[in-house]
Amino acid sequence: MRILITGGAGFIGSHLTDRMMAEGHRVVVMDNLVTGNYQNVAHHKDNPRFEFIHHNVSNHIHIVGELDWVIHFASPASPVDYLLLPIETLKVNSLGTHNTLGLALSKGARYFLASTSEVYGDPEIHPQPETYWGNVNPIGPRGVYDEAKRFAEAITMAYHHKHALDTRIIRIFNCYGPRLRLDDGRVVSNFIGQALANAPLTVYGEGQQTRSFQYVTDLVEGIVRLMDVDHHLPVNLGNPQEKTVLELATIIKDLVGASSEIIKKPLPVDDPRRRLPDTTKAKALINWAPSKNLIEGLQETIEWYRQAQAREAVTAKSK
Ligand code: UDP
């Protein structure tokens, strides 16, 4: 197949690109590299099945040739990033989703939308099933991401109903693994970076808020399985193992073997208090459940950061 992956040079997009390349498909990665990194896909550059197009999908998209799938992952996804890029975030999930849907329709391709657990906002029910409509503050700082993704889901469903476009929607819960940018501000990358530097680990608020962390290859497996199933309503993909942020800080500090202290910083506005996916649907539909244990996944991620930092040190020395 020939597959377009928008945001394919980003953290999750690049792992999906690897998987699609490994399966023998032709992959077109489209990315404007605002939060993505070409180095995440550079290892494919000499493969004739791989193409990279530097483009912002909020603008009209022109692709020569056939496409079997349009997979829309392009968007800033870390709270720090989307607070710095609020208009870009709103545009890529509204205009960008519209453009990619139109492209899929014109090519007769199938369409896959990366949505988010953020559509549930600060949830009032726990865990969150797909039937929950969410508790989102539209005008709060996170609204630029949450509301844009809610719009993206709405327009994807509209294309499905109005144009019979074959669509998929996933709601991705917190995801971590190699290639998560060290400076992207998310909790796993922050804590690992801080622990590796023996600097204080910054827990926001009292650290009693919860998240559930899935390893990136588990998520990619869920995506691949869902592509094969005829189901158009949103599906949660996340790890049903809940941890407080304070627990995560202790785990990462211990795994790194750091002597860092754990310090408290103010809780960001509208920070969800609890988040946990109900994955009953993914289990029933695609027989999917995350298989990577948190400790093992964090160890692999820490090792990746160590190697990345060693590579950077060598490059800096040789300059
Ligand atoms: N967090 C934290 N310290 C950090 C970064 C994040 O305590 O250095 C907290 C943040 O307030 C939130 C949780 O960790 O409660 C997860 O934050 P992240 O930005 O990774 O993603 P979110 O789930 O909020 O989108």
Side-chain angles (χ1 to χ4, degrees):
M1 295 195 290
R2 186 164 184 247
I3 300 170
L4 172 70
I5 305 180
T6 77
F11 162 52
I12 297 172
S14 66
H15 285 277
L16 189 57
T17 297
D18 286 351
R19 174 74 183 256
M20 295 302 168
M21 289 296 292
E23 291 193 359
H25 301 302
R26 289 179 290 155
V27 178
V28 182
V29 164
M30 183 168 277
D31 205 301
N32 67 351
L33 302 179
V34 167
T35 57
N37 179 357
Y38 180 72
Q39 288 313 314
N40 288 340
V41 289
H43 51 286
H44 297 300
K45 73 177 184 336
D46 296 326
N47 192 319
R49 289 188 285 109
F50 177 79
E51 276 170 76
F52 177 80
I53 302 175
H54 189 280
H55 182 69
N56 180 352
V57 297
S58 300
N59 301 321
H60 178 78
I61 305 169
H62 180 68
I63 299 266
V64 178
E66 58 176 4
L67 285 175
D68 298 286
W69 276 97
V70 172
I71 302 185
H72 184 34
F73 269 71
S75 175
S78 154
V80 169
D81 286 341
Y82 58 70
L83 296 184
L84 280 172
L85 302 164
I87 312 288
E88 291 86 343
T89 303
L90 282 157
K91 286 172 78 174
V92 75
N93 289 299
S94 53
L95 306 178
T97 304
H98 187 207
N99 287 336
T100 49
L101 282 163
L103 176 72
L105 195 61
S106 73
K107 297 285 187 188
R110 288 183 279 173
Y111 187 82
F112 199 112
L113 175 70
S115 184
T116 169
S117 58
E118 286 278 332
V119 300
Y120 302 124
D122 187 9
E124 288 161 316
I125 65 163
H126 200 74
Q128 295 83 53
E130 290 86 349
T131 45
Y132 178 49
W133 291 354
N135 175 38
V136 171
N137 175 2
I139 56 164
R142 298 174 86 105
V144 297
Y145 186 65
D146 303 6
E147 289 297 357
K149 286 289 189 187
R150 289 166 71 94
F151 173 87
E153 289 194 7
I155 192 170
T156 300
M157 289 309 295
Y159 265 70
H160 174 64
H161 291 305
K162 180 81 186 167
H163 296 301
L165 188 67
D166 191 359
T167 54
R168 309 282 185 280
I169 299 174
I170 50 166
R171 293 182 178 154
I172 303 172
F173 285 67
N174 295 60
C175 183
Y176 73 98
R179 300 185 191 151
L180 192 59
R181 271 181 18 243
L182 203 52
D183 65 347
D184 94 339
R186 274 183 275 200
V187 68
V188 172
S189 44
N190 272 10
F191 286 173
I192 295 179
Q194 291 160 347
L196 287 173
N198 268 318
L201 269 62
T202 53
V203 164
Y204 300 160
E206 292 303 311
Q208 292 309 311
Q209 67 273 36
T210 68
R211 296 292 186 273
S212 51
F213 299 95
Q214 67 180 324
Y215 195 69
V216 65
T217 50
D218 280 334
L219 172 63
V220 167
E221 180 61 32
I223 293 167
V224 170
R225 289 190 193 190
L226 195 62
M227 287 168 77
D228 283 338
V229 174
D230 192 20
H231 187 83
H232 309 292
L233 296 172
V235 179
N236 287 339
L237 292 179
N239 193 320
Q241 199 196 4
E242 190 177 11
K243 291 271 176 245
T244 68
V245 165
L246 196 54
E247 281 172 326
L248 183 75
T250 311
I251 293 171
I252 291 180
K253 184 184 146 170
D254 290 349
L255 287 176
V256 171
S259 54
S260 312
E261 53 176 332
I262 293 176
I263 59 168
K264 307 249 166 88
K265 293 262 187 175
L267 190 67
V269 176
D270 291 342
D271 197 280
R273 286 160 294 175
R274 294 183 80 184
R275 185 185 287 154
L276 180 68
D278 181 330
T279 53
T280 312
K281 189 171 178 181
K283 179 83 190 144
L285 199 62
I286 51 176
N287 192 26
W288 178 86
S291 64
K292 181 76 89 181
N293 163 286
L294 181 65
I295 302 297
E296 207 182 301
L298 287 172
Q299 275 166 337
E300 286 178 24
T301 309
I302 292 165
E303 185 51 32
W304 181 82
Y305 281 117
R306 282 202 167 109
Q307 288 179 9
Q309 288 186 339
R311 276 195 302 274
E312 270 168 33
V314 170
T315 317
K317 234 180 174 175
S318 63
K319 272 185 186 161

